[in-house]
Amino acid sequence: MEQKNIKDHANKEFSNVRVAVDYNDYDIEKDTRLLIPFSYYQHYGMMNRSGEVVVEPKYDRILDSCREDSDVVRVGIYYTYGFNRATKEPSTYLRTKWGLLNCKGEFILEPEYNQIGVSDDNQILTIQHMDGQYEVISIDGTVIIPKGKYAWIDSFDGGLSRICVGDCDKKIWGIINSCGIIVLPLKYSNIWNFYKKKRIETTIEAIDEFGCKRVGSFNLITYEVNI
């Protein structure tokens, strides 16, 4: 098996590596985080740099590091769901309901969402409700995109987000800015992911009147289209 180093995982995009440390070997005074995750039996909570418990250990998952006042932390609670099958035993599945805390451990969103995407500046939240519908709000709760307007909405990066309408057989893609304004019209068959890449351009694909694929680019700074 190929030899790997923990840094190989830590440097990967979207990586969320955490190292378990025995409490006797841990020096809290050297930890710069405002909220520090800890485990108690099989659940997770968070403490401050004084060792005071700020978030009770009642969560099954904790994402994100809280190092600055503007940082937010996603917390998750497991739940099971299932359905009956005519010829076999019922199928059950384990899923997570997500909530969001601020740097003080206070709820911004209660843990009742299927997904919560946080923009790179922590100011815009892309929420997927338990019924599968998406909504975009600002960190103070102002609605930017109402629930159900688009079939799918990406998290915001550099003030932009991909959106789509349509079903699995025929999705149409576009891009919106942080105010919810469409900057690339909903008429493209695909938009390559620009999330967390800090690119100047992203690749777009369209189907022309003859049914042929045409590939071009969209400038994420000037909004210029070349296709």
Side-chain angles (χ1 to χ4, degrees):
M1 188 173 73
E2 181 185 358
Q3 184 71 32
K4 289 188 175 181
N5 188 288
I6 189 63
K7 292 182 180 179
D8 296 333
H9 296 283
N11 292 330
K12 284 183 179 178
E13 187 177 2
F14 307 127
S15 178
N16 196 38
V17 173
R18 297 291 182 269
V19 178
V21 178
D22 189 293
Y23 187 76
N24 293 324
D25 299 325
Y26 174 68
D27 188 350
I28 193 171
E29 294 181 357
K30 294 181 180 180
D31 198 321
T32 61
R33 291 173 292 179
L34 299 179
L35 293 178
I36 304 166
F38 69 91
S39 64
Y40 183 71
Y41 290 90
Q42 296 184 6
H43 289 91
Y44 297 95
M46 305 190 84
M47 60 183 173
N48 61 23
R49 287 182 288 189
S50 297
E52 299 168 331
V53 175
V54 178
V55 177
E56 291 293 330
K58 58 182 180 180
Y59 297 102
D60 298 297
R61 298 179 68 183
I62 291 180
L63 298 181
D64 312 303
S65 291
C66 185
R67 300 181 182 278
E68 301 178 359
D69 290 342
S70 61
D71 286 341
V72 292
V73 178
R74 285 166 288 188
V75 293
I77 297 175
Y78 289 147
Y79 72 98
T80 57
Y81 76 99
F83 57 89
N84 293 321
R85 296 188 293 181
T87 58
K88 298 181 180 180
E89 295 182 355
S91 296
T92 58
Y93 301 89
L94 183 68
R95 300 288 294 272
T96 306
K97 288 184 178 181
W98 291 101
L100 194 70
L101 306 176
N102 64 17
C103 67
K104 298 178 181 179
E106 302 166 335
F107 272 117
I108 298 173
L109 296 172
E110 295 283 343
E112 54 188 31
Y113 298 95
N114 192 41
Q115 294 184 60
I116 300 174
V118 182
S119 63
D120 54 342
D121 62 359
N122 297 322
Q123 296 302 303
I124 304 174
L125 308 176
T126 302
I127 301 166
Q128 186 186 32
H129 292 263
M130 296 305 294
D131 61 5
Q133 296 191 73
Y134 286 84
E135 180 181 12
V136 177
I137 64 174
S138 64
I139 197 70
D140 65 3
T142 302
V143 176
I144 298 172
I145 302 292
K147 178 183 176 182
K149 183 173 182 178
Y150 300 115
W152 185 84
I153 306 174
D154 204 352
S155 297
F156 282 77
D157 185 78
L160 298 175
S161 170
R162 297 181 303 164
I163 56 172
C164 79
V165 295
D167 54 27
C168 295
D169 295 328
K170 191 176 181 181
K171 290 183 178 179
I172 302 174
W173 296 83
I175 294 177
I176 57 175
N177 65 17
S178 58
C179 295
I181 298 171
I182 294 177
V183 296
L184 181 68
L186 278 156
K187 65 177 185 179
Y188 295 93
S189 55
N190 206 345
I191 299 175
W192 271 246
N193 197 349
F194 58 86
Y195 188 61
K196 293 295 182 186
K197 294 293 186 181
K198 299 191 183 301
R199 297 170 175 158
I200 296 176
E201 291 185 341
T202 190
T203 305
I204 56 177
E205 176 187 274
I207 306 298
D208 66 20
E209 57 185 318
F210 304 106
C212 299
K213 289 183 180 180
R214 297 176 57 196
V215 177
S217 64
F218 175 67
N219 189 296
L220 302 171
I221 307 299
T222 66
Y223 302 162
E224 180 182 359
V225 175
N226 290 301
I227 192 167

